[in-house]
Amino acid sequence: MSTPAESYLVGLIGEGTTHSLTPALHEREADQHGLRYIYRTVDLTVLARPAGDVGALLSAGRDLGFNAFNITVPAKQVVLEYLDDLSDDAARLGAVNTVLIHDGKFIGHNTDYSGFGSALEEGLPGASLGRVAQLGAGGAGAATAYALLAAGAEHLYVLDLDPARSRERAAALAGHFPDRIIEWRPMSEVADVMSDADGLVHATPVGMHAHPGMPLDGDLLQPRHWVADIVYRPIETGLLKAAAAKGCRVLDGGHMAVGQAVDAFRLITGVEPDRPRMREHFLSMLRQGA
């Protein structure tokens, strides 16, 4: 583990970052370790800048002495062409959410997948990974699917409202995990898939405050299923409420949000963060309406 620097200047580039909980999450944990740590948002919406400007913003940040940036939508893939190096997992995923600046060079990492992987291990220990259904094949779905397969999922069903996206995601994953069964299915077959699955991962915006609703019929859930959601506003989504009422084991989206922040903090500082403490801080901010 590297020696902590004297101070850290970190940023978050993406749309709608002004209201992100990430800066407070990082800064509070840094305070607990006695680190001088300043985290600033770079909101593309407020600045009226396109995602393609991420390269120029990274270069400006490097010149101003930033140590690292987190990257969020819509720049997680756009940023790839501006990086000097990638971690193996980020290269396989084709997406980056953390950029370290070392000796003037930009090094890309992906802690979305590792954050979900650790959340799954910690929040649903012993969950059966024999057959898993995943709803959503977009950017977040790429990270959760990769994490599931890295954790040992034997048979993964990938479903999305866009069949082409499901098919492309399944093909890409099969290239990295040739010894697993990875199937794409249209959403019209979700009932058949759930009748076969041990668990469900939900990786679409459905259930967020701005996108209320359920991603599937709650009657398809059975007590034997475990259910993981990536949505964390609200922390208890309609899907998780329905699953819990059926007796399913559930994992809220806050686990992934905190997990990716934990891994990013470790990469940036070389210091091991306190995951339970960061989780409680995260939940306290949600309770306070942050």
Side-chain angles (χ1 to χ4, degrees), residues 9-49:
L9 181 57
V10 181
L12 174 62
I13 300 174
E15 292 182 352
T17 62
T18 300
H19 303 293
S20 172
L21 303 182
T22 300
L25 200 59
H26 278 243
E27 290 183 342
R28 172 78 69 83
E29 185 60 20
D31 288 345
Q32 297 298 318
H33 294 277
L35 302 177
R36 300 177 67 187
Y37 197 107
I38 301 296
Y39 195 123
R40 292 290 179 259
T41 57
V42 182
D43 195 322
L44 297 176
T45 304
V46 172
L47 297 175
R49 301 281 290 266

Side-chain angles (χ1 to χ4, degrees), residues 29-247:
E29 185 60 20
D31 288 345
Q32 297 298 318
H33 294 277
L35 302 177
R36 300 177 67 187
Y37 197 107
I38 301 296
Y39 195 123
R40 292 290 179 259
T41 57
V42 182
D43 195 322
L44 297 176
T45 304
V46 172
L47 297 175
R49 301 281 290 266
D53 280 0
V54 65
L57 293 169
L58 284 176
S59 295
R62 175 183 57 195
D63 295 344
L64 291 170
F66 276 73
N67 300 89
F69 284 91
N70 282 133
I71 309 294
T72 189
V73 292
K76 291 183 181 183
Q77 293 173 315
V78 177
V79 72
L80 294 173
E81 64 179 288
Y82 303 104
L83 305 179
D84 298 295
D85 199 5
L86 285 172
S87 69
D88 290 343
D89 292 312
R92 293 189 185 105
L93 280 163
V96 160
N97 77 328
T98 304
V99 177
L100 306 183
I101 303 175
H102 286 315
D103 298 325
K105 296 186 180 299
F106 302 121
I107 317 299
H109 295 264
N110 189 302
T111 70
D112 285 330
Y113 102 87
S114 61
F116 182 74
S118 59
L120 191 67
E121 181 179 3
E122 182 178 88
L124 289 172
S128 174
L129 296 178
R131 295 174 181 269
V132 182
Q134 176 172 295
L135 307 184
T144 54
Y146 187 91
L148 286 165
L149 292 163
E154 299 170 9
H155 191 149
L156 179 65
Y157 297 98
V158 181
L159 300 90
D160 194 276
L161 290 174
D162 181 349
R165 186 158 67 170
S166 297
R167 185 167 55 247
E168 291 168 6
R169 181 64 59 205
L173 291 165
H176 299 308
F177 298 92
D179 59 334
R180 312 296 173 77
I181 300 173
I182 304 168
E183 293 186 55
W184 76 271
R185 294 285 190 91
M187 283 296 291
S188 60
E189 296 183 16
V190 66
D192 290 338
V193 169
M194 289 304 296
S195 69
D196 192 45
D198 300 306
L200 171 70
V201 174
H202 172 235
T204 86
V206 177
M208 295 174 62
H209 286 305
H211 302 276
M214 287 273 288
L216 83 173
D217 186 338
D219 289 339
L220 298 179
L221 300 172
Q222 300 298 323
R224 62 183 175 80
H225 290 134
W226 56 263
V227 178
D229 205 333
I230 69 163
V231 173
Y232 64 83
R233 280 177 163 166
I235 196 71
E236 188 181 27
T237 61
L239 174 63
L240 293 187
K241 288 179 181 178
K246 286 288 187 74

